[in-house]
Amino acid sequence: MKEMIQSAMEYAKSLGAGFCDLRYKDIHIEDIEVENSTLVKAEKKRSLGYGVRVYVDGAMGFAASSDPTQMNTVVKQAYEIARASLTLLAEKAKLDKKEAVQATYATPVKKCPFGMPFEEKLALLMECDKNMNATEGVKRTCSYLFFREDDVIFADTDGSYIDQSFLQSGAYIGATAFSDEDMQERSFIDIQRAGYEAILDMNLAERAKTIGKEAVELLKAEDCPSGEFDIILTPRQMFLQIHESVGHPTELDRILGSEAAYAGRSFVETENLTSKPLTYGSEHVTIVADATCPQGLGTFAYDDEGTPGQNVTLIDKGKFVGLQTSRDNAPKIGQNSGGAGLSDGWRNLPIVRMTNINLLPGQFTLDELISGIEYGFIFDENKSWSIDDLRINFQFACEMAREIKNGKLTGRVFKNPIYAGKTTEFWGNCDGTANKDFWELVGVPNCGKGQPMQVMRVSHGSSPTRFRKVKVGVSDVK
């Protein structure tokens, strides 16, 4: 394969390409799903192919194929597309400079999930199902395991050849309780770049007991009160708060308008890095895009443009200081790529994608955060979300709220908690995040972006975090 790919790069140069790169991806997926003690899915899928990007005099062409024997033909197709694009070229594309690299990388793995017996995986799911159903009142259960292995080769005409292997292991369990008037669900999902050992560490069977009990408890609970309250968000809600109100707004391609027709732009401007400083949050808010984070779904040695994985600070003690960038847009703001050029497979071009967008831990314990609230709530596990096309106004619904009164948890829970806010105002009202002992990395299974749509998995790390004066409840959300 290496000789074939390198030959294709030489062929691109012989055609007169100014630059050419190739991403070869061999993707294996396994899904196993159980619903109500019945196996409903057990499948393995494979997707293999490569995408070629060619630049000619500032114009770019892209072509892809699943046939490795046709690489030169695909290179020529991409070259001809680039040549044809010259006639309508409004602005010449410019890639940043990077070093040619010869490298290999693999996700650290103790137990390969693809080598584990199917019977053992199914037995785990059935045990989870049984444990959720052990609580009277649970009417529906769902458990599934999902694994993905990506073998990725990157090469370019500068001389790079990078061979990487990534492995993801994930699980979901969910229990639903319902009556004639209502339906409530408790769930848990986690995905990591790791082997089957990550599944074992999740303690799914034991966790399933709690999931079932809490689903029934929510069915009997009252609706969360409305008003303005102090709240604490757990990492299992913080992940989406970070994702939607920090991750997407700080993608440079979105800021420059490439998502405008599909998912909107961003309130962030490139001038916020220079002439128009932006206060994004309080001094407790430091957020990084970290492609080096262990077990993160956005962790790699090199991105899909051959740029090294990096740890880029986006917000430093509340001050906006950085963006997520790739090779084709970083030069527009006088920078080199931050290593965020990624594609979801071989059929699509790399675009700016989140790596692991993490809120760094603070100095508090969880008890200290709770003790600072006279009356409020801990919100846990996202249920739904909404945010405007500039990423300013948002609303999130969670599965459960736990009541805090006089600085202590009362043991009372509420259902259907909803909170809303404006991005910089909300982050500005953050007055504390728990320390590293409470820090948790949570995987996002389905981040969609681009046209054609690319669905990626990314991770977000945080500790429980406290926010003051938050609008809670439907009636108070404007």
Side-chain angles (χ1 to χ4, degrees):
M1 181 61 67
K2 184 174 183 178
E3 290 183 0
M4 190 181 299
I5 291 173
Q6 290 178 329
S7 175
M9 294 300 96
E10 291 300 319
Y11 179 63
K13 288 192 284 187
S14 73
L15 292 174
F19 177 79
C20 175
D21 60 16
L22 180 149
R23 279 151 292 278
Y24 175 93
K25 298 194 175 188
D26 187 0
I27 302 169
H28 294 259
I29 294 173
E30 181 180 14
D31 293 316
I32 308 170
E33 183 175 356
V34 167
E35 287 188 14
N36 296 331
S37 303
T38 301
L39 177 65
V40 297
K41 180 191 286 188
E43 64 179 18
K44 292 184 178 182
K45 296 181 289 186
R46 184 182 186 187
S47 176
L48 183 152
Y50 56 97
V52 176
R53 188 171 61 169
V54 172
Y55 286 83
V56 178
D57 295 334
M60 189 271 289
F62 177 79
S65 172
S66 60
D67 186 351
T69 68
Q70 298 298 310
M71 280 188 184
N72 283 359
T73 300
V74 175
V75 167
K76 189 170 184 180
Q77 287 176 346
Y79 173 79
E80 290 174 346
I81 291 170
R83 293 274 300 174
S85 300
L86 284 169
T87 59
L88 297 174
L89 191 64
E91 179 184 2
K92 286 192 173 185
K94 181 182 179 182
L95 298 177
D96 73 341
K97 293 182 179 180
K98 70 171 185 64
E99 303 239 343
V101 175
Q102 304 277 324
T104 60
Y105 171 83
T107 299
V109 172
K110 295 178 182 178
K111 292 187 175 184
C112 178
F114 294 97
M116 300 294 294
F118 171 80
E119 293 77 12
E120 181 174 334
K121 301 170 192 173
L122 180 59
L124 174 60
L125 295 179
M126 288 295 188
E127 185 179 4
C128 290
D129 184 276
K130 176 184 175 182
N131 289 351
M132 286 186 284
N133 275 303
T135 300
E136 185 177 355
V138 171
K139 299 296 180 65
R140 179 183 178 273
T141 57
C142 180
S143 307
Y144 59 85
L145 296 173
F146 39 95
F147 308 102
R148 173 168 168 158
E149 184 175 30
D150 294 50
D151 292 317
V152 181
I153 297 173
F154 172 86
D156 63 29
T157 49
D158 289 340
S160 290
Y161 191 90
I162 303 167
D163 192 341
Q164 301 183 93
S165 179
F166 306 111
L167 187 62
Q168 300 176 14
S169 297
Y172 168 88
I173 53 175
T176 304
F178 57 86
S179 64
D180 291 339
E181 296 81 24
D182 195 14
M183 180 178 71
Q184 293 294 321
E185 180 182 14
R186 277 297 270 162
S187 63
F188 170 84
I189 186 170
D190 197 12
I191 318 167
Q192 299 178 24
R193 276 203 166 159
Y196 196 75
E197 65 275 5
I199 302 298
L200 299 177
D201 289 343
M202 293 176 195
N203 295 316
L204 293 172
E206 194 63 30
R207 192 185 294 268
K209 299 176 184 178
T210 302
I211 292 290
K213 291 176 182 177
E214 290 182 346
V216 174
E217 186 178 13
L218 281 175
L219 192 65
K220 301 173 182 178
E222 295 181 14
D223 282 317
C224 187
S226 297
E228 190 173 78
F229 300 104
D230 299 336
I231 65 173
I232 294 171
L233 300 182
T234 71
R236 305 204 63 79
Q237 172 57 32
M238 280 296 295
F239 83 92
L240 198 62
Q241 183 68 58
I242 294 167
H243 184 91
E244 299 296 345
S245 67
V246 178
H248 280 309
T250 57
E251 296 164 337
L252 180 55
D253 58 349
R254 182 183 299 272
I255 293 169
L256 295 177
S258 68
E259 288 286 286
Y262 173 59
R265 298 190 63 165
S266 171
F267 72 90
V268 176
E269 303 173 5
T270 57
E271 291 81 2
N272 293 146
L273 290 175
T274 53
S275 60
K276 295 169 61 179
L278 172 64
T279 299
Y280 212 107
S282 73
E283 63 181 4
H284 299 279
V285 180
T286 295
I287 296 179
V288 299
D290 185 5
T292 70
C293 178
Q295 297 186 313
L297 297 175
T299 298
F300 46 80
Y302 296 88
D303 71 1
D304 281 331
E305 297 185 301
T307 303
Q310 300 165 44
N311 187 348
V312 178
T313 301
L314 304 176
I315 303 170
D316 185 13
K317 296 180 180 178
K319 305 299 181 183
F320 170 69
V321 296
L323 290 166
Q324 301 170 74
T325 60
S326 60
R327 291 195 69 196
D328 62 340
N329 53 49
K332 295 179 180 180
I333 58 171
Q335 296 185 4
N336 289 325
S337 171
L342 299 166
S343 62
D344 69 346
W346 52 269
R347 292 180 176 88
N348 294 317
L349 283 163
I351 57 178
V352 174
R353 300 310 300 257
M354 295 181 227
T355 53
N356 306 297
I357 313 301
N358 300 335
L359 173 67
L360 298 190
Q363 302 301 317
F364 296 92
T365 66
L366 179 56
D367 284 343
E368 287 171 338
L369 292 179
I370 294 171
S371 68
I373 294 178
E374 185 175 344
Y375 188 81
F377 309 96
I378 296 179
F379 283 4
D380 183 48
E381 200 71 55
N382 184 261
K383 183 188 288 186
S384 67
W385 60 272
S386 175
I387 194 165
D388 69 27
D389 61 359
L390 289 178
R391 304 278 153 174
I392 297 174
N393 299 285
F394 62 80
Q395 176 177 295
F396 293 96
C398 301
E399 288 183 358
M400 175 180 281
R402 301 183 188 276
E403 184 182 54
I404 302 171
K405 192 173 183 179
N406 298 324
K408 295 184 182 297
L409 286 168
T410 67
R412 188 180 185 188
V413 302
F414 295 97
K415 63 186 176 184
N416 304 326
I418 297 173
Y419 71 97
K422 296 179 181 294
T423 293
T424 55
E425 178 182 301
F426 182 80
W427 285 104
N429 287 337
C430 172
D431 78 333
T433 185
N435 63 43
K436 62 182 181 179
D437 293 338
F438 300 88
W439 197 86
E440 182 180 349
L441 192 67
V442 179
V444 179
N446 53 354
C447 174
K449 182 180 176 181
Q451 292 178 290
M453 167 74 79
Q454 297 193 44
V455 179
M456 296 283 284
R457 293 175 174 176
V458 302
S459 291
H460 303 292
S462 69
S463 299
T465 304
R466 187 172 64 196
F467 298 88
R468 301 292 189 179
K469 298 180 179 179
V470 179
K471 290 182 179 179
V472 174
V474 176
S475 63
D476 284 79
V477 175
K478 305 293 184 184

